[in-house]
């Protein structure tokens, strides 16, 4: 484990938590997940507008969204109908090291950002247990990550998340608004076709 930078209560940034070799192992593990549970294009509830980020999951539960039924967790892939593959052991180790939460994560959302993708400001609030943190891993090109307060109108600040970084939203920061404003092309050689992968570990139910 590398340095830990507390930003404000419950928000932790671990720059370079995973070294290059570990990042390569994680990419191989993600490729394995994607081979079993292909990336798909999620759409916004209500409008059906497609997101720019492609997604899949691993773990007993996966986060999905569609036009009719909205944001939720479910045990199977919305396109293939198959159960999600298991969470790779390296990610379970990460969770056990940084989450401070006794039980293992139930969901790992895999977000793939092409270099022009982004994610709007939002809270992670589809879980019933907010005592567990959200633990996220960045791989590939760097991004501009925006983090705010508990209300949408609160002041936000921005930081770069680079390949191998870990970010934790926990404690008083568990429900902070956050989003990804942009990806910086050609800032990493980890993914041969560019883009960024974000892995988000969550506990869904107590
Ligand atoms: O890509 C990121 O760093 C954040 C992803 C995120 O906020 C989410 O999937 O809920
Ligand atoms: Mn989020």
């Amino acid at each position: 484990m590398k340095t830990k930078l507390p930003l404000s209560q419950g928000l932790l940034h671990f720059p370079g938590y995973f070294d290059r070799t570990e990042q390569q192992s994680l990419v191989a593990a993600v490729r394995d997940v994607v081979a079993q549970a292909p990336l798909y294009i999620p759409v916004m509830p209500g409008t059906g507008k497609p997101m720019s980020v492609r997604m899949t999951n691993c773990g007993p539960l996966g986060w999905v969204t569609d036009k009719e039924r909205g944001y939720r967790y479910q045990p199977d892939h919305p396109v293939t109908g198959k159960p999600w593959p298991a969470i790779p052991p390296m990610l379970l180790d990460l969770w056990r090291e940084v989450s401070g939460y006794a039980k293992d994560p139930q969901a790992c959302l895999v977000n793939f950002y092409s270099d022009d993708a982004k994610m709007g400001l939002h809270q992670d609030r589809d879980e019933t247990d907010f005592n567990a943190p959200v633990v996220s891993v960045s791989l590939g090109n760097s991004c501009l990550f925006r983090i705010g307060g508990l209300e949408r109108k609160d002041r936000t600040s921005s930081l770069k998340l680079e390949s191998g970084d870990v970010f934790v939203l926990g404690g008083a920061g568990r429900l902070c608004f956050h989003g990804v404003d942009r990806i910086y092309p050609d800032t990493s050689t980890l993914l041969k076709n560019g883009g960024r992968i974000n892995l988000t570990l969550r506990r869904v139910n107590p």
Side-chain angles (χ1 to χ4, degrees), residues 18-28 30-31 112 137-142 162-165 186-199:
F18 291 111
D19 67 23
R20 176 78 180 194
T21 308
E22 293 168 328
Q23 292 172 39
Q24 286 166 334
S25 304
L26 281 170
V27 171
V30 171
R31 287 196 199 292
F112 178 76
V137 181
S138 294
L139 295 168
N141 284 339
S142 305
E162 296 181 356
S163 194
D165 287 10
D186 304 317
T187 45
S188 164
T189 55
L190 187 71
L191 305 175
K192 66 175 188 308
N193 296 320
R196 170 176 182 263
I197 294 170
N198 168 259
L199 307 170

Side-chain angles (χ1 to χ4, degrees), residues 79-116:
V79 179
T80 67
K82 292 207 278 189
W84 304 107
I87 298 178
M90 279 181 79
L91 294 174
L92 294 177
D93 289 346
L94 166 69
W95 175 271
R96 290 167 190 161
E97 193 162 5
V98 305
S99 73
Y101 193 81
K103 294 184 187 163
D104 276 343
Q106 292 170 302
C108 176
L109 175 64
V110 177
N111 289 315
F112 178 76
Y113 296 77
S114 53
D115 287 334
D116 55 5

Side-chain angles (χ1 to χ4, degrees), residues 33-34 36-44 49-58 61-67 70-74 76-82 84 108-113:
V33 166
V34 170
Q36 298 170 72
L39 290 165
Y40 72 98
I41 300 174
V43 302
M44 305 289 284
K49 190 177 177 291
M51 294 186 171
S52 60
V53 179
R54 290 189 291 152
M55 296 182 181
T56 188
N57 289 270
C58 50
L61 293 172
W63 187 86
V64 300
T65 168
D66 57 26
K67 188 173 192 286
Y71 304 147
R72 64 192 185 275
Y73 284 92
Q74 65 181 42
D76 44 24
H77 191 290
V79 179
T80 67
K82 292 207 278 189
W84 304 107
C108 176
L109 175 64
V110 177
N111 289 315
F112 178 76
Y113 296 77

